[in-house]
Amino acid sequence: MGRAFVYVIIGGGVAAGYAAHEFFKRGVTHGELCIISEEPVAPYERPALSKGYLLPEAPARLPSFHCCVGTNEEKLTPKWYKENGIELILGTRVKSADVRRKTLLTATGETISYKYLIVATGARALKLEEFGVNGLDATNVCYLRDLADADRLANVMQSCGGGNAVVIGGGYIGMECAASLVINKFNVTLVFPEAQCMPRLFTSKIASYYEDFYQSKGVKFIKGTVLTSFDFNSDGQVTAVNLRDGSKLPADMVVIGIGIRPNTSLFEGQLTMEKGGIKVNGQMQSSNASVYAIGDVAAFPVKIVGETRRLEHVDSARKAARHAVAAITEPEKTSDFDYLPFFYSRVFTLSWQFYGDNAGEVVHFGDFAGPTFGAYWVNKGYLVGSFLEGGTKEQYDAIACTTRLKPKIDDVAELERQGLGFALSVSQKPVSLRPSDVDGGSGVVLEKPMYAWHATAGVIVAASIVAFAYWYGRRRRRW
């Protein structure tokens, strides 16, 4: 019992949806493509789960956030897949994979064969039991990784009707869930072992701003300690959280956001692994030429920083998905993936964006007592990263453009003085590319502005060359 497809996508998250859409745009034939997903619904935009899904009023629900509404494109409902001849095999786990034979075996016993496979299996949430803490069976202990988790979390929030919520973890999930819980009128305590929130990205100064803002909303922070155990009632629900520092926190519900692990088990021993994920090249192609990997599970070369990385963010998943499909369908026309790392978040009235790499010396700018501030990172004399809170679209575009250009920075004090104005200025200047002194990257040298007469002269010269070539060709034919 089995079926064969030209293209198979395993996984049903953001990356899978955007890959399917790219196949559609490139004219995939009916019956050539299928998606196999453990989830019972078509691919959807996961950021909605920690944002709109948990709102107390008019919460987001499917089908409103199916792919690809996250980039203002058409909504890929189950009907869309059916109309375009794309097979959705939902609620189905892949039991094993054989990349040499190009086959997948599902838990239902069906064999799926392929010519090209795209692995978009994403990652799973780390569980408390992996750290020796019992609590998996408690109905009021929640995680947030997929739609089922979001449903459970929303139901627990509703059943509690406010009360005490303890959030474990100070990263993306912890910060965004804490904000949602406050909006739902919970008393929130955020617990994490680091000295600050978002330690992988924020500087201590940036983190202090957000912590102060959260505290103004009623969130309590407990840093430098970890969860050790729970207290339970007779129904098996958690009533209190015990911390290593001896604290006991009353809890009506608990949200766990302590990290993720890529879902690579199907391919371990068959594909090359790196950084905890499947290693791919600039075409998103793995060590097996027929297998590509995208999203959280892929470790790919990030050209601008000169090293292989695994990036856990929706923007990377979307763009890598489109690139992988282009590489499969038109390999000779597809250059290596040149991705600018991008992260963002929107909570309460706050909105920040980060581009590039947070390596080297940090230069803060703006008014940290006001609505707009930011930071640059300068590494080996070049600007390699930018962060901005409270910016306009033009300002966010400017820091993105400037970070990709990687301008040389000779005077850090002057960069601090110019602040956001530096990015606005650089993003409007013409540049000439040259190899950068930063390992593995591509940099620029900022040139003097090209005045209008320079451009006009170039057009005239080019037109003259074309005219001469045409005249010369005519003369040659006459001869």
Side-chain angles (χ1 to χ4, degrees), residues 323-352:
H323 193 87
V325 175
I328 291 170
T329 55
E330 294 187 297
E332 69 287 347
K333 295 182 180 180
T334 306
S335 58
D336 284 348
F337 192 36
D338 189 8
Y339 180 69
L340 175 67
F342 169 56
F343 301 91
Y344 75 91
S345 186
R346 292 186 297 271
V347 292
F348 297 120
T349 57
L350 304 175
S351 177
W352 59 260

PDB file of all heavy atoms in Angstrom, residues 323-352:
ATOM      1  N   HIS A 323      12.887  29.834  -1.057  1.00  0.00           N
ATOM      2  CA  HIS A 323      14.178  29.628  -1.706  1.00  0.00           C
ATOM      3  C   HIS A 323      14.399  28.153  -2.043  1.00  0.00           C
ATOM      4  O   HIS A 323      14.898  27.825  -3.123  1.00  0.00           O
ATOM      5  CB  HIS A 323      15.312  30.123  -0.803  1.00  0.00           C
ATOM      6  CG  HIS A 323      16.620  30.228  -1.501  1.00  0.00           C
ATOM      7  ND1 HIS A 323      17.009  31.350  -2.203  1.00  0.00           N
ATOM      8  CD2 HIS A 323      17.624  29.331  -1.657  1.00  0.00           C
ATOM      9  CE1 HIS A 323      18.199  31.148  -2.733  1.00  0.00           C
ATOM     10  NE2 HIS A 323      18.598  29.934  -2.419  1.00  0.00           N
ATOM     11  N   ALA A 324      14.018  27.268  -1.130  1.00  0.00           N
ATOM     12  CA  ALA A 324      14.205  25.842  -1.380  1.00  0.00           C
ATOM     13  C   ALA A 324      13.407  25.387  -2.602  1.00  0.00           C
ATOM     14  O   ALA A 324      13.905  24.619  -3.437  1.00  0.00           O
ATOM     15  CB  ALA A 324      13.780  25.039  -0.154  1.00  0.00           C
ATOM     16  N   VAL A 325      12.181  25.859  -2.733  1.00  0.00           N
ATOM     17  CA  VAL A 325      11.353  25.488  -3.876  1.00  0.00           C
ATOM     18  C   VAL A 325      11.953  26.028  -5.170  1.00  0.00           C
ATOM     19  O   VAL A 325      11.979  25.337  -6.198  1.00  0.00           O
ATOM     20  CB  VAL A 325       9.909  25.984  -3.693  1.00  0.00           C
ATOM     21  CG1 VAL A 325       9.070  25.714  -4.937  1.00  0.00           C
ATOM     22  CG2 VAL A 325       9.278  25.315  -2.467  1.00  0.00           C
ATOM     23  N   ALA A 326      12.463  27.256  -5.117  1.00  0.00           N
ATOM     24  CA  ALA A 326      13.130  27.810  -6.306  1.00  0.00           C
ATOM     25  C   ALA A 326      14.337  26.966  -6.688  1.00  0.00           C
ATOM     26  O   ALA A 326      14.578  26.688  -7.869  1.00  0.00           O
ATOM     27  CB  ALA A 326      13.550  29.248  -6.034  1.00  0.00           C
ATOM     28  N   ALA A 327      15.098  26.526  -5.678  1.00  0.00           N
ATOM     29  CA  ALA A 327      16.298  25.729  -5.941  1.00  0.00           C
ATOM     30  C   ALA A 327      15.948  24.362  -6.522  1.00  0.00           C
ATOM     31  O   ALA A 327      16.682  23.822  -7.363  1.00  0.00           O
ATOM     32  CB  ALA A 327      17.100  25.559  -4.659  1.00  0.00           C
ATOM     33  N   ILE A 328      14.828  23.803  -6.101  1.00  0.00           N
ATOM     34  CA  ILE A 328      14.401  22.505  -6.618  1.00  0.00           C
ATOM     35  C   ILE A 328      13.895  22.627  -8.048  1.00  0.00           C
ATOM     36  O   ILE A 328      14.238  21.809  -8.914  1.00  0.00           O
ATOM     37  CB  ILE A 328      13.292  21.911  -5.720  1.00  0.00           C
ATOM     38  CG1 ILE A 328      13.864  21.523  -4.350  1.00  0.00           C
ATOM     39  CG2 ILE A 328      12.641  20.698  -6.385  1.00  0.00           C
ATOM     40  CD1 ILE A 328      12.800  21.150  -3.334  1.00  0.00           C
ATOM     41  N   THR A 329      13.093  23.642  -8.310  1.00  0.00           N
ATOM     42  CA  THR A 329      12.435  23.757  -9.615  1.00  0.00           C
ATOM     43  C   THR A 329      13.309  24.430 -10.673  1.00  0.00           C
ATOM     44  O   THR A 329      13.179  24.139 -11.862  1.00  0.00           O
ATOM     45  CB  THR A 329      11.115  24.529  -9.487  1.00  0.00           C
ATOM     46  OG1 THR A 329      11.371  25.802  -8.882  1.00  0.00           O
ATOM     47  CG2 THR A 329      10.130  23.755  -8.610  1.00  0.00           C
ATOM     48  N   GLU A 330      14.174  25.339 -10.256  1.00  0.00           N
ATOM     49  CA  GLU A 330      15.056  26.032 -11.205  1.00  0.00           C
ATOM     50  C   GLU A 330      16.457  26.178 -10.612  1.00  0.00           C
ATOM     51  O   GLU A 330      16.915  27.279 -10.315  1.00  0.00           O
ATOM     52  CB  GLU A 330      14.503  27.411 -11.554  1.00  0.00           C
ATOM     53  CG  GLU A 330      13.194  27.385 -12.319  1.00  0.00           C
ATOM     54  CD  GLU A 330      12.784  28.779 -12.778  1.00  0.00           C
ATOM     55  OE1 GLU A 330      12.537  29.638 -11.908  1.00  0.00           O
ATOM     56  OE2 GLU A 330      12.731  29.006 -14.000  1.00  0.00           O
ATOM     57  N   PRO A 331      17.159  25.071 -10.418  1.00  0.00           N
ATOM     58  CA  PRO A 331      18.460  25.114  -9.748  1.00  0.00           C
ATOM     59  C   PRO A 331      19.498  25.980 -10.459  1.00  0.00           C
ATOM     60  O   PRO A 331      20.315  26.636  -9.815  1.00  0.00           O
ATOM     61  CB  PRO A 331      18.890  23.642  -9.707  1.00  0.00           C
ATOM     62  CG  PRO A 331      18.086  22.968 -10.789  1.00  0.00           C
ATOM     63  CD  PRO A 331      16.797  23.693 -10.822  1.00  0.00           C
ATOM     64  N   GLU A 332      19.442  25.988 -11.790  1.00  0.00           N
ATOM     65  CA  GLU A 332      20.445  26.743 -12.549  1.00  0.00           C
ATOM     66  C   GLU A 332      20.219  28.252 -12.435  1.00  0.00           C
ATOM     67  O   GLU A 332      21.133  29.042 -12.711  1.00  0.00           O
ATOM     68  CB  GLU A 332      20.433  26.321 -14.021  1.00  0.00           C
ATOM     69  CG  GLU A 332      19.197  26.726 -14.821  1.00  0.00           C
ATOM     70  CD  GLU A 332      17.943  25.923 -14.480  1.00  0.00           C
ATOM     71  OE1 GLU A 332      18.074  24.884 -13.808  1.00  0.00           O
ATOM     72  OE2 GLU A 332      16.839  26.350 -14.900  1.00  0.00           O
ATOM     73  N   LYS A 333      19.028  28.667 -12.032  1.00  0.00           N
ATOM     74  CA  LYS A 333      18.727  30.098 -11.929  1.00  0.00           C
ATOM     75  C   LYS A 333      18.711  30.597 -10.480  1.00  0.00           C
ATOM     76  O   LYS A 333      18.462  31.778 -10.247  1.00  0.00           O
ATOM     77  CB  LYS A 333      17.357  30.386 -12.563  1.00  0.00           C
ATOM     78  CG  LYS A 333      17.293  30.133 -14.056  1.00  0.00           C
ATOM     79  CD  LYS A 333      15.910  30.494 -14.593  1.00  0.00           C
ATOM     80  CE  LYS A 333      15.806  30.243 -16.091  1.00  0.00           C
ATOM     81  NZ  LYS A 333      14.459  30.599 -16.607  1.00  0.00           N
ATOM     82  N   THR A 334      18.961  29.700  -9.532  1.00  0.00           N
ATOM     83  CA  THR A 334      18.835  30.056  -8.120  1.00  0.00           C
ATOM     84  C   THR A 334      20.204  30.161  -7.465  1.00  0.00           C
ATOM     85  O   THR A 334      20.931  29.168  -7.378  1.00  0.00           O
ATOM     86  CB  THR A 334      17.980  29.015  -7.376  1.00  0.00           C
ATOM     87  OG1 THR A 334      16.725  28.876  -8.049  1.00  0.00           O
ATOM     88  CG2 THR A 334      17.736  29.444  -5.937  1.00  0.00           C
ATOM     89  N   SER A 335      20.526  31.348  -7.000  1.00  0.00           N
ATOM     90  CA  SER A 335      21.789  31.556  -6.298  1.00  0.00           C
ATOM     91  C   SER A 335      21.637  31.116  -4.844  1.00  0.00           C
ATOM     92  O   SER A 335      20.542  30.752  -4.397  1.00  0.00           O
ATOM     93  CB  SER A 335      22.191  33.028  -6.363  1.00  0.00           C
ATOM     94  OG  SER A 335      21.178  33.851  -5.800  1.00  0.00           O
ATOM     95  N   ASP A 336      22.715  31.157  -4.098  1.00  0.00           N
ATOM     96  CA  ASP A 336      22.656  30.748  -2.697  1.00  0.00           C
ATOM     97  C   ASP A 336      21.788  31.705  -1.878  1.00  0.00           C
ATOM     98  O   ASP A 336      21.728  32.908  -2.149  1.00  0.00           O
ATOM     99  CB  ASP A 336      24.065  30.697  -2.095  1.00  0.00           C
ATOM    100  CG  ASP A 336      24.842  29.469  -2.540  1.00  0.00           C
ATOM    101  OD1 ASP A 336      24.224  28.559  -3.122  1.00  0.00           O
ATOM    102  OD2 ASP A 336      26.070  29.422  -2.310  1.00  0.00           O
ATOM    103  N   PHE A 337      21.128  31.157  -0.903  1.00  0.00           N
ATOM    104  CA  PHE A 337      20.266  31.908   0.008  1.00  0.00           C
ATOM    105  C   PHE A 337      21.100  32.967   0.731  1.00  0.00           C
ATOM    106  O   PHE A 337      22.099  32.654   1.382  1.00  0.00           O
ATOM    107  CB  PHE A 337      19.659  30.927   1.014  1.00  0.00           C
ATOM    108  CG  PHE A 337      18.544  31.480   1.848  1.00  0.00           C
ATOM    109  CD1 PHE A 337      17.629  32.386   1.337  1.00  0.00           C
ATOM    110  CD2 PHE A 337      18.381  31.051   3.156  1.00  0.00           C
ATOM    111  CE1 PHE A 337      16.576  32.860   2.116  1.00  0.00           C
ATOM    112  CE2 PHE A 337      17.336  31.510   3.943  1.00  0.00           C
ATOM    113  CZ  PHE A 337      16.434  32.424   3.422  1.00  0.00           C
ATOM    114  N   ASP A 338      20.703  34.215   0.598  1.00  0.00           N
ATOM    115  CA  ASP A 338      21.430  35.322   1.234  1.00  0.00           C
ATOM    116  C   ASP A 338      20.484  36.014   2.200  1.00  0.00           C
ATOM    117  O   ASP A 338      19.861  37.017   1.869  1.00  0.00           O
ATOM    118  CB  ASP A 338      21.953  36.299   0.175  1.00  0.00           C
ATOM    119  CG  ASP A 338      22.893  37.340   0.760  1.00  0.00           C
ATOM    120  OD1 ASP A 338      23.255  37.216   1.945  1.00  0.00           O
ATOM    121  OD2 ASP A 338      23.264  38.282   0.036  1.00  0.00           O
ATOM    122  N   TYR A 339      20.388  35.470   3.386  1.00  0.00           N
ATOM    123  CA  TYR A 339      19.365  35.895   4.343  1.00  0.00           C
ATOM    124  C   TYR A 339      19.928  36.856   5.386  1.00  0.00           C
ATOM    125  O   TYR A 339      21.009  36.619   5.951  1.00  0.00           O
ATOM    126  CB  TYR A 339      18.779  34.676   5.038  1.00  0.00           C
ATOM    127  CG  TYR A 339      17.711  35.015   6.046  1.00  0.00           C
ATOM    128  CD1 TYR A 339      16.477  35.519   5.633  1.00  0.00           C
ATOM    129  CD2 TYR A 339      17.930  34.851   7.415  1.00  0.00           C
ATOM    130  CE1 TYR A 339      15.489  35.839   6.556  1.00  0.00           C
ATOM    131  CE2 TYR A 339      16.954  35.166   8.338  1.00  0.00           C
ATOM    132  CZ  TYR A 339      15.742  35.665   7.909  1.00  0.00           C
ATOM    133  OH  TYR A 339      14.773  35.986   8.816  1.00  0.00           O
ATOM    134  N   LEU A 340      19.185  37.939   5.629  1.00  0.00           N
ATOM    135  CA  LEU A 340      19.514  38.865   6.702  1.00  0.00           C
ATOM    136  C   LEU A 340      18.706  38.453   7.927  1.00  0.00           C
ATOM    137  O   LEU A 340      17.482  38.568   7.924  1.00  0.00           O
ATOM    138  CB  LEU A 340      19.162  40.301   6.305  1.00  0.00           C
ATOM    139  CG  LEU A 340      19.357  41.367   7.392  1.00  0.00           C
ATOM    140  CD1 LEU A 340      20.843  41.524   7.720  1.00  0.00           C
ATOM    141  CD2 LEU A 340      18.769  42.707   6.943  1.00  0.00           C
ATOM    142  N   PRO A 341      19.353  37.948   8.991  1.00  0.00           N
ATOM    143  CA  PRO A 341      18.608  37.526  10.176  1.00  0.00           C
ATOM    144  C   PRO A 341      17.688  38.636  10.693  1.00  0.00           C
ATOM    145  O   PRO A 341      18.087  39.797  10.780  1.00  0.00           O
ATOM    146  CB  PRO A 341      19.719  37.210  11.188  1.00  0.00           C
ATOM    147  CG  PRO A 341      20.873  36.779  10.336  1.00  0.00           C
ATOM    148  CD  PRO A 341      20.802  37.673   9.125  1.00  0.00           C
ATOM    149  N   PHE A 342      16.467  38.256  11.004  1.00  0.00           N
ATOM    150  CA  PHE A 342      15.446  39.220  11.405  1.00  0.00           C
ATOM    151  C   PHE A 342      14.597  38.622  12.518  1.00  0.00           C
ATOM    152  O   PHE A 342      14.162  37.471  12.442  1.00  0.00           O
ATOM    153  CB  PHE A 342      14.557  39.548  10.195  1.00  0.00           C
ATOM    154  CG  PHE A 342      13.307  40.326  10.522  1.00  0.00           C
ATOM    155  CD1 PHE A 342      13.366  41.529  11.191  1.00  0.00           C
ATOM    156  CD2 PHE A 342      12.055  39.842  10.149  1.00  0.00           C
ATOM    157  CE1 PHE A 342      12.209  42.243  11.491  1.00  0.00           C
ATOM    158  CE2 PHE A 342      10.888  40.555  10.433  1.00  0.00           C
ATOM    159  CZ  PHE A 342      10.972  41.765  11.111  1.00  0.00           C
ATOM    160  N   PHE A 343      14.379  39.405  13.581  1.00  0.00           N
ATOM    161  CA  PHE A 343      13.512  39.005  14.688  1.00  0.00           C
ATOM    162  C   PHE A 343      12.643  40.201  15.060  1.00  0.00           C
ATOM    163  O   PHE A 343      13.070  41.346  14.921  1.00  0.00           O
ATOM    164  CB  PHE A 343      14.334  38.563  15.907  1.00  0.00           C
ATOM    165  CG  PHE A 343      15.253  37.408  15.629  1.00  0.00           C
ATOM    166  CD1 PHE A 343      16.555  37.623  15.217  1.00  0.00           C
ATOM    167  CD2 PHE A 343      14.811  36.105  15.779  1.00  0.00           C
ATOM    168  CE1 PHE A 343      17.415  36.560  14.954  1.00  0.00           C
ATOM    169  CE2 PHE A 343      15.650  35.029  15.512  1.00  0.00           C
ATOM    170  CZ  PHE A 343      16.954  35.259  15.102  1.00  0.00           C
ATOM    171  N   TYR A 344      11.456  39.919  15.541  1.00  0.00           N
ATOM    172  CA  TYR A 344      10.574  41.019  15.948  1.00  0.00           C
ATOM    173  C   TYR A 344       9.615  40.530  17.023  1.00  0.00           C
ATOM    174  O   TYR A 344       9.431  39.318  17.236  1.00  0.00           O
ATOM    175  CB  TYR A 344       9.775  41.556  14.764  1.00  0.00           C
ATOM    176  CG  TYR A 344       8.636  40.659  14.338  1.00  0.00           C
ATOM    177  CD1 TYR A 344       7.355  40.829  14.871  1.00  0.00           C
ATOM    178  CD2 TYR A 344       8.835  39.632  13.428  1.00  0.00           C
ATOM    179  CE1 TYR A 344       6.307  39.998  14.500  1.00  0.00           C
ATOM    180  CE2 TYR A 344       7.795  38.789  13.058  1.00  0.00           C
ATOM    181  CZ  TYR A 344       6.537  38.979  13.597  1.00  0.00           C
ATOM    182  OH  TYR A 344       5.505  38.143  13.235  1.00  0.00           O
ATOM    183  N   SER A 345       8.980  41.467  17.702  1.00  0.00           N
ATOM    184  CA  SER A 345       7.914  41.133  18.633  1.00  0.00           C
ATOM    185  C   SER A 345       7.014  42.343  18.802  1.00  0.00           C
ATOM    186  O   SER A 345       7.469  43.487  18.680  1.00  0.00           O
ATOM    187  CB  SER A 345       8.468  40.709  19.996  1.00  0.00           C
ATOM    188  OG  SER A 345       7.420  40.261  20.847  1.00  0.00           O
ATOM    189  N   ARG A 346       5.743  42.060  19.083  1.00  0.00           N
ATOM    190  CA  ARG A 346       4.764  43.108  19.384  1.00  0.00           C
ATOM    191  C   ARG A 346       3.976  42.685  20.609  1.00  0.00           C
ATOM    192  O   ARG A 346       3.268  41.668  20.567  1.00  0.00           O
ATOM    193  CB  ARG A 346       3.825  43.341  18.194  1.00  0.00           C
ATOM    194  CG  ARG A 346       4.486  43.941  16.980  1.00  0.00           C
ATOM    195  CD  ARG A 346       3.454  44.286  15.901  1.00  0.00           C
ATOM    196  NE  ARG A 346       2.771  43.109  15.393  1.00  0.00           N
ATOM    197  CZ  ARG A 346       3.199  42.376  14.373  1.00  0.00           C
ATOM    198  NH1 ARG A 346       4.338  42.699  13.767  1.00  0.00           N
ATOM    199  NH2 ARG A 346       2.510  41.319  13.971  1.00  0.00           N
ATOM    200  N   VAL A 347       4.109  43.423  21.701  1.00  0.00           N
ATOM    201  CA  VAL A 347       3.358  43.152  22.926  1.00  0.00           C
ATOM    202  C   VAL A 347       2.907  44.479  23.524  1.00  0.00           C
ATOM    203  O   VAL A 347       3.601  45.487  23.407  1.00  0.00           O
ATOM    204  CB  VAL A 347       4.196  42.379  23.965  1.00  0.00           C
ATOM    205  CG1 VAL A 347       4.493  40.969  23.504  1.00  0.00           C
ATOM    206  CG2 VAL A 347       5.493  43.103  24.273  1.00  0.00           C
ATOM    207  N   PHE A 348       1.754  44.466  24.161  1.00  0.00           N
ATOM    208  CA  PHE A 348       1.184  45.690  24.717  1.00  0.00           C
ATOM    209  C   PHE A 348       1.182  46.762  23.617  1.00  0.00           C
ATOM    210  O   PHE A 348       0.683  46.542  22.528  1.00  0.00           O
ATOM    211  CB  PHE A 348       1.961  46.141  25.954  1.00  0.00           C
ATOM    212  CG  PHE A 348       1.915  45.176  27.098  1.00  0.00           C
ATOM    213  CD1 PHE A 348       3.065  44.609  27.614  1.00  0.00           C
ATOM    214  CD2 PHE A 348       0.696  44.833  27.679  1.00  0.00           C
ATOM    215  CE1 PHE A 348       3.013  43.721  28.673  1.00  0.00           C
ATOM    216  CE2 PHE A 348       0.634  43.951  28.754  1.00  0.00           C
ATOM    217  CZ  PHE A 348       1.802  43.386  29.246  1.00  0.00           C
ATOM    218  N   THR A 349       1.779  47.920  23.919  1.00  0.00           N
ATOM    219  CA  THR A 349       1.919  48.987  22.911  1.00  0.00           C
ATOM    220  C   THR A 349       3.327  49.010  22.331  1.00  0.00           C
ATOM    221  O   THR A 349       3.688  49.955  21.628  1.00  0.00           O
ATOM    222  CB  THR A 349       1.617  50.351  23.559  1.00  0.00           C
ATOM    223  OG1 THR A 349       2.497  50.556  24.674  1.00  0.00           O
ATOM    224  CG2 THR A 349       0.171  50.417  24.031  1.00  0.00           C
ATOM    225  N   LEU A 350       4.110  47.988  22.614  1.00  0.00           N
ATOM    226  CA  LEU A 350       5.515  47.948  22.192  1.00  0.00           C
ATOM    227  C   LEU A 350       5.671  47.193  20.877  1.00  0.00           C
ATOM    228  O   LEU A 350       4.897  46.293  20.567  1.00  0.00           O
ATOM    229  CB  LEU A 350       6.368  47.279  23.265  1.00  0.00           C
ATOM    230  CG  LEU A 350       6.297  47.884  24.674  1.00  0.00           C
ATOM    231  CD1 LEU A 350       7.098  47.036  25.645  1.00  0.00           C
ATOM    232  CD2 LEU A 350       6.810  49.320  24.659  1.00  0.00           C
ATOM    233  N   SER A 351       6.705  47.571  20.131  1.00  0.00           N
ATOM    234  CA  SER A 351       7.001  46.881  18.880  1.00  0.00           C
ATOM    235  C   SER A 351       8.470  47.086  18.548  1.00  0.00           C
ATOM    236  O   SER A 351       8.921  48.216  18.374  1.00  0.00           O
ATOM    237  CB  SER A 351       6.129  47.419  17.738  1.00  0.00           C
ATOM    238  OG  SER A 351       6.467  46.799  16.513  1.00  0.00           O
ATOM    239  N   TRP A 352       9.229  45.968  18.486  1.00  0.00           N
ATOM    240  CA  TRP A 352      10.644  46.104  18.155  1.00  0.00           C
ATOM    241  C   TRP A 352      11.018  45.198  16.993  1.00  0.00           C
ATOM    242  O   TRP A 352      10.360  44.204  16.724  1.00  0.00           O
ATOM    243  CB  TRP A 352      11.542  45.816  19.363  1.00  0.00           C
ATOM    244  CG  TRP A 352      11.423  44.451  19.997  1.00  0.00           C
ATOM    245  CD1 TRP A 352      10.721  44.124  21.121  1.00  0.00           C
ATOM    246  CD2 TRP A 352      12.035  43.226  19.554  1.00  0.00           C
ATOM    247  NE1 TRP A 352      10.851  42.786  21.408  1.00  0.00           N
ATOM    248  CE2 TRP A 352      11.656  42.215  20.474  1.00  0.00           C
ATOM    249  CE3 TRP A 352      12.869  42.887  18.490  1.00  0.00           C
ATOM    250  CZ2 TRP A 352      12.086  40.895  20.344  1.00  0.00           C
ATOM    251  CZ3 TRP A 352      13.300  41.564  18.358  1.00  0.00           C
ATOM    252  CH2 TRP A 352      12.904  40.599  19.284  1.00  0.00           C
TER     253      TRP A 352
END
